[in-house]
Amino acid sequence: MPFFDAVLLDWVGTLIVPKWGPAQARPRGALWIERTLRQLGRDSSEAEVQRISAALVAAGKRPDVERGWSRADVSAAAHRDSYARWANAAGVDPVLADELYAALSDATDNPFAADVEPTLAALKAAGLKVAIISDIHFDIRPGFVKAGLDGYVDSFVLSFEHGVCKPDPALFRLALDRLGVQPGEALMVGDRSGYDGAAVETGIATLLVPPLTQVTEERLHLVLAACGIPARLTASFVK
């Protein structure tokens, strides 16, 4: 019998690769920047990608930019303002900034990691409820529909829809209420200690996994193991 009745899953960095995230042996956000430059018909050389990435990294360290990001996901407007401050600080021209933002906010342009579908299927087969709890500024449901994963999810708890984001315990409590479970009956799974890890303050057992860097990574067998899912349902992860 599973140890929990429900699992709360983070989205970015846990189920999908962050667009503004580490890229193996490449500048941060390289794929996102490179693809956007190509769509605009601009120079997408490694040198140009490196230049833009470095400018964004530097801008992100400015105190005013950092403050802006702290609660950016409480609403779509707050996120847009925080992004504009960041892009302006980095010297990104308006056309490129808009295209980068459009790509960043596209729910259907985020391939899921290879082990997401079998993990969700195993959780549902074991009778667990599943909620996606994400600090995000747009509706991610279409991405799950496109990938055929929406049927595995019982509830989506998205920060911009409720005006509150992690690590505020209110978001975790909302997810619990949506699923009809108590803190001790749920497992939170995420990739950021300061945000997802805050679920422990609400009494929710928490499993932190390294942020995804490529969709071929398989780490979610740890979730099934933590839930006590029978070995026969985790066999597909064994190499």
Side-chain angles (χ1 to χ4, degrees):
M1 183 175 180
F3 302 143
F4 300 100
D5 295 326
V7 174
L8 316 180
L9 290 161
D10 173 52
W11 187 54
V12 178
T14 303
L15 305 182
I16 66 166
V17 177
K19 286 179 177 172
W20 175 242
Q24 292 188 343
R26 297 196 67 194
R28 184 173 182 180
L31 296 177
W32 169 53
I33 297 168
E34 180 182 51
R35 182 177 177 184
T36 305
L37 289 171
R38 286 179 176 171
Q39 289 176 334
L40 289 173
R42 295 190 180 186
D43 174 17
S44 59
S45 65
E46 192 69 9
E48 180 63 1
V49 170
Q50 171 65 52
R51 183 189 69 79
I52 295 171
S53 175
L56 289 170
V57 168
K61 296 178 181 178
R62 285 179 36 164
D64 59 324
V65 173
E66 287 186 330
R67 285 194 300 271
W69 280 127
S70 64
R71 285 180 52 80
D73 287 311
V74 296
S75 70
H79 192 278
R80 192 67 178 88
D81 288 345
S82 298
Y83 173 84
R85 185 181 299 108
W86 180 43
N88 288 337
V92 178
D93 69 82
V95 173
L96 178 57
D98 285 346
E99 286 298 312
L100 285 169
Y101 195 70
L104 190 68
S105 307
D106 185 353
T108 63
D109 184 33
N110 296 282
F112 287 85
D115 58 355
V116 172
E117 194 280 334
T119 297
L120 292 177
L123 291 172
K124 296 303 288 185
L128 278 74
K129 297 177 181 179
V130 173
I132 305 300
I133 175 170
S134 178
D135 282 354
I136 198 68
H137 61 289
F138 60 91
D139 187 2
I140 64 176
R141 294 175 184 87
F144 282 78
V145 172
K146 180 182 178 181
L149 301 175
D150 55 307
Y152 296 119
V153 181
D154 297 287
S155 181
F156 287 87
V157 180
L158 311 179
S159 62
F160 84 102
E161 293 181 335
H162 304 286
V164 62
C165 53
K166 307 168 195 170
D168 193 317
L171 200 66
F172 299 109
R173 293 193 189 106
L174 179 58
L176 295 175
D177 290 343
R178 288 281 187 86
L179 297 182
V181 298
Q182 297 300 311
E185 298 171 331
L187 173 70
M188 174 67 204
V189 182
D191 67 300
R192 299 183 300 169
S193 60
Y195 296 84
D196 303 312
V200 299
E201 303 298 334
T202 314
I204 304 172
T206 303
L207 172 64
L208 296 176
V209 295
L212 275 172
T213 59
Q214 52 186 342
V215 295
T216 55
E217 293 178 33
E218 296 189 354
R219 309 113 67 244
L220 297 182
H221 60 282
L222 299 172
V223 178
L224 302 183
C227 290
I229 304 296
R232 61 184 175 81
L233 294 178
T234 65
S236 61
F237 294 103
V238 179
K239 302 301 181 182

